[in-house]
Amino acid sequence: MLLVQPTKRPEGRTYADYESVNECLEGKHVTALFIPSSLSVGYDTHLFKSIVLPFRYRANTQTYQPYNKDWIKEKIYMLLRCQAQQTAKS
């Protein structure tokens, strides 16, 4: 589950529930935040200010484990590196 707040207004808060981390990273809430300025500093700043908190469901305890922004930032960078490598191989 991903909590996002793309604006400073509290009523802009929303969440999305995904089946996997990759599905979350490729979901509309995260990819919509990629658009502002591609992979520039503006993108980085806008993206990580908009993400409030990522949670990952743990089936064994039936709870959501919170992660910090560094965790999702690393996951996004790993996904982008994998996509770049696949594109380079093509």
Side-chain angles (χ1 to χ4, degrees), residues 7-83:
T7 67
K8 291 184 179 187
R9 298 176 19 201
E11 58 272 10
R13 294 178 186 149
T14 189
Y15 76 95
D17 194 12
Y18 299 97
E19 294 296 318
S20 69
V21 173
N22 279 348
E23 185 180 314
C24 173
L25 298 178
E26 295 173 348
K28 69 178 183 176
H29 289 92
V30 174
T31 55
L33 296 172
F34 286 154
I35 295 169
S37 59
S38 187
L39 296 175
S40 69
V41 173
Y43 146 85
D44 187 65
T45 302
H46 181 71
L47 175 64
F48 297 110
K49 282 185 179 179
S50 297
I51 293 174
V52 176
L53 195 60
F55 290 87
R56 190 169 184 187
Y57 184 70
R58 298 291 182 188
N60 60 336
T61 60
Q62 296 185 343
T63 59
Y64 285 91
Q65 180 178 357
Y67 287 87
N68 62 27
K69 290 182 183 185
D70 290 336
W71 179 84
I72 198 164
K73 189 175 188 176
E74 180 60 30
K75 295 292 183 186
I76 289 169
Y77 288 149
M78 287 172 47
L79 177 68
L80 292 174
R81 279 193 297 268
C82 288
Q83 289 176 346

